[in-house]
Amino acid sequence: MSGRARVTLFAALATLLTSWSLAPLVETSGWLLQAAALLAVQSAVGAGGRRIPLARPLTVGAQLLVSLLLLVLLFADKVESTGSGPLAFLVTDFGGLFQQGVRDVGEFAIPAPLTDGIRLLLLCGVLLIGLLVDALAVTLRSAAAAGLPLLALYSVAAGLSAERGGSWFAFLLAGAGYLMLLLSEGRDRLAQWGRVFGAAPSARVSAASGYGGGSGGGRALAPVRTGRRIGVAALGLALAVPAALPALGGGVLGRPGEDSATAGGGGTISAVNPLVSLQSSLNAQDNRVVLKYRTDSPQLGEQYLRILALDEFNGVKWEASGRPLTDVPERLPNPAGLSERVREGAAEIRTTVSAAETYAQRYLPMPYPATQVDIAGKWRYEPVGRTLVGDQLGKDRFQNVQGAQYTVRSLLLRPTAAQLQSAPGPNPFVQAEYTKVPDNLPPVVAETARRVTQGAPDDYTRAVRLQDFFAVNGGFRYDTKVSSGTGSQAIARFLQDKEGFCVHFAFSMAAMSRTLGIPARVAVGFTPGEKQSDGSVNVSMRDAHAWPELYFEGVGWTRFEPTPRSGISVPDYSRAADPLPQPSAPSALPSQSAAAPSAAPSQNDACPPELKKLGECGAAAPKRSAAPGSGGLPVGAVIGWGAAVLVLLGLPLLPLLWRRRVRRRRLAGGDVLTAWRELGDAAWDVGIPPDEALSPRRAAARVVVLGRLDGDAAQAVRRVADAVERALYAPPGAETSAPGLSEDVLLARSALLASATRPGRLRALLLPRSAARVSWALSARLAAFSARASALSARFRLPLRDRG
């Protein structure tokens, strides 16, 4: 295999290994095989174009064109063509699938299902990075620069994925791929020089040969072999050092589950997507307050702040169906399905809300059903879901809730169980629209719904039994660490594993209700929050919630609460008349703590840490100020970590300190040959490798020319060479001392550093090339130790019996 073909192969391999870091973003990794096949074809086209040879831009253009054609062939049957000809497919259909992938990325939690749109995004990204790596490493012959697109690919993947303990493995693969690419390119360059340069530990082996000579000579270390050792050591340090350092948070290798919205104080929070934001909000460590409100509602436990309704279930996800928006009316119309009888029993309440500056949400959180909204800015109204959406303000700019203050008038509905139980059949349009279930819904969902509601005489009783099945007697457990998912298979897994958080409970109850013919959708928003001593209520990130809404004619969309989590109120109309059994799950029964918070300290000391994180231990006790000297980090730990940090920071200075010590020892003795070696190493550090085949005078002339020395510096180099010749060729007993030799070496070294570029000077000081002598010395000692060990084992070896 030729050198350029080897670099082409390792460029594709480096891209593929780095692409492994994208695997945690989706549920399956089958797309990696497709990416490998497409990368192979793309690299083969590039190799053929360079062999013809084509001009560099034509080679890259041919690779890009073939990659596009392969993607078109791969996804041709995934979209419905709306035009004729390949151009219409590329611009319209292919672009539409690409946009669908972008929408899927914004809507799904990690790991997301491998939809056609997401698969197209993954393959396009890998092929683009592979094209850049191939162009830089092979076409432009700059393998080092090819690390930039590889780093970009890994950084995006590491920043998006939760990693789940596999980040070190993804980094190892990416680093190994880049290291192999560098070594293959370096080997190709050495092959073009015509011989392998190296140096042997033994002085009897020529440095130019690259091979050991004679029985007594040591074996040379080729640069490729040395490069492998350096690369493996660097990769090991890159994996070990972050594990040893204390967690600093954030960054490309930040902690799983931490993002800009929750890690710091300056990010913004977006809670539109229940899959992405709900789980991260519930697991947030800082529990930041996002909304404050005051209300005259007599039932604070019913004061849910609703953002939007997800009313379409296509088997892959729940989402809000696209509906037309209108101007916000002065007074919102009556809710759909609400009868005058129930309307007369409702009270109109007034709520004033203030949003935090860090809460950038396009949908306006409001009590449901709102009747009037007073807010500044450009907003639009969606009548079916009764939500307000921020209008477009400019290119990529939309109105949002950030820092807004607004007033909402809403109805506090008080339907009774009798009214719900005697509700007539729903409107045919509502019945047809909100009872649709996907064809791929597993049979276990409908079977479980029928089993749980067996014998129920009406839809209301069936709804209550479904709620109690999840919240009370079904053995379900509330856990925000469970991997989120909303597809049909995710519901089946949830029914089997019986653990999840509000998304799982709400989506499962809504799907099961639809199988029973009960119109259902899912609402996303916030629970009522925590009342403060001044009468206001704080709504924090961990109050994010999802709940099912079921439709009953005469009452309209009605909230049910299947999630078994404390702090969440079960509506009065959904409570069974008979006492219910105690929950089989370890979580507490839903309480009215939000409506009447206790001022007494809670029993947090006896609460497990897992429940403390979820806020399941009641109101926190008032914190007492710590006494001086109590708490905090131990002094010994601070000193230990400080010493460790200083040691790690001092590691890059070790070569500099080693060279200074060696130079001082060589020049202090006054020996001519050691001073000559120091001059050779000083030239080697700035990029002039030693050539032991030259005489001292010719070697000095080479240093003067390549180092661009003149004047006193050039004369100093020549004086050192003259002293070396006198020491080597003078008759026995002749005086060979050379006064001022150390000053000449230091003068020449200073001139060599001054003539080098700034990066060259930094390289010579911090990473001197002559440090390779350390590895040579270690190899020589290791070889000597092995020889002595072999001699000792041979001496004590027992004679063989019955020989011959």
Side-chain angles (χ1 to χ4, degrees), residues 291-377:
L291 297 170
K292 290 178 177 287
Y293 69 88
R294 292 179 180 272
T295 182
D296 57 3
S297 173
Q299 292 180 271
L300 188 59
E302 298 294 328
Q303 192 73 3
Y304 278 55
L305 298 180
R306 185 174 174 275
I307 296 176
L308 81 163
L310 309 178
D311 54 6
E312 185 175 316
F313 184 36
N314 55 18
V316 178
K317 57 184 176 181
W318 284 84
E319 60 184 358
S321 56
R323 301 185 186 275
L325 303 177
T326 64
D327 293 334
V328 181
E330 182 68 23
R331 188 168 180 84
L332 305 187
N334 288 331
L338 181 63
S339 67
E340 189 63 28
R341 180 183 176 187
V342 178
R343 174 69 174 81
E344 291 175 354
E348 187 168 85
I349 62 174
R350 183 176 183 270
T351 305
T352 303
V353 187
S354 298
E357 292 290 342
T358 55
Y359 184 62
Q361 171 62 259
R362 280 190 64 198
Y363 289 80
L364 189 67
M366 302 184 299
Y368 182 85
T371 58
Q372 189 175 5
V373 183
D374 182 12
I375 185 173

Side-chain angles (χ1 to χ4, degrees), residues 199-214 216-220 692:
S202 175
R204 289 177 290 178
V205 182
S206 173
S209 66
Y211 300 94
R219 205 174 72 185
E692 298 180 5

Side-chain angles (χ1 to χ4, degrees), residues 456-545:
D458 50 71
D459 287 347
Y460 164 75
T461 307
R462 283 189 280 270
V464 172
R465 290 189 180 181
L466 286 178
Q467 174 183 271
D468 294 343
F469 170 67
F470 289 110
V472 180
N473 51 34
F476 287 85
R477 187 172 67 90
Y478 182 82
D479 186 359
T480 61
K481 302 298 183 182
V482 175
S483 176
S484 61
T486 63
S488 300
Q489 297 301 325
I491 296 177
R493 288 196 302 270
F494 172 64
L495 293 176
Q496 177 182 354
D497 299 339
K498 294 191 174 184
E499 57 180 11
F501 58 104
C502 56
V503 165
H504 300 90
F505 289 95
F507 289 179
S508 298
M509 180 173 174
M512 294 170 72
S513 299
R514 288 192 173 191
T515 64
L516 298 175
I518 306 174
R521 65 187 185 187
V522 175
V524 178
F526 295 98
T527 54
E530 182 178 357
K531 191 172 183 178
Q532 306 299 302
S533 58
D534 61 354
S536 64
V537 182
N538 287 351
V539 178
S540 63
M541 293 171 61
R542 285 206 293 265
D543 291 318
H545 190 48

Side-chain angles (χ1 to χ4, degrees), residues 41-54:
V41 176
Q42 179 179 269
S43 301
V45 172
R50 287 183 289 266
R51 188 174 181 83
I52 290 177
L54 293 177

Side-chain angles (χ1 to χ4, degrees), residues 650-672:
L651 286 177
L653 301 178
L654 289 180
L656 172 65
L657 299 176
W658 173 79
R659 281 291 292 123
R660 179 178 297 179
R661 178 174 177 273
V662 170
R663 181 166 53 253
R664 187 182 298 114
R665 189 178 71 248
R666 285 173 174 174
L667 299 181
D671 184 73
V672 176

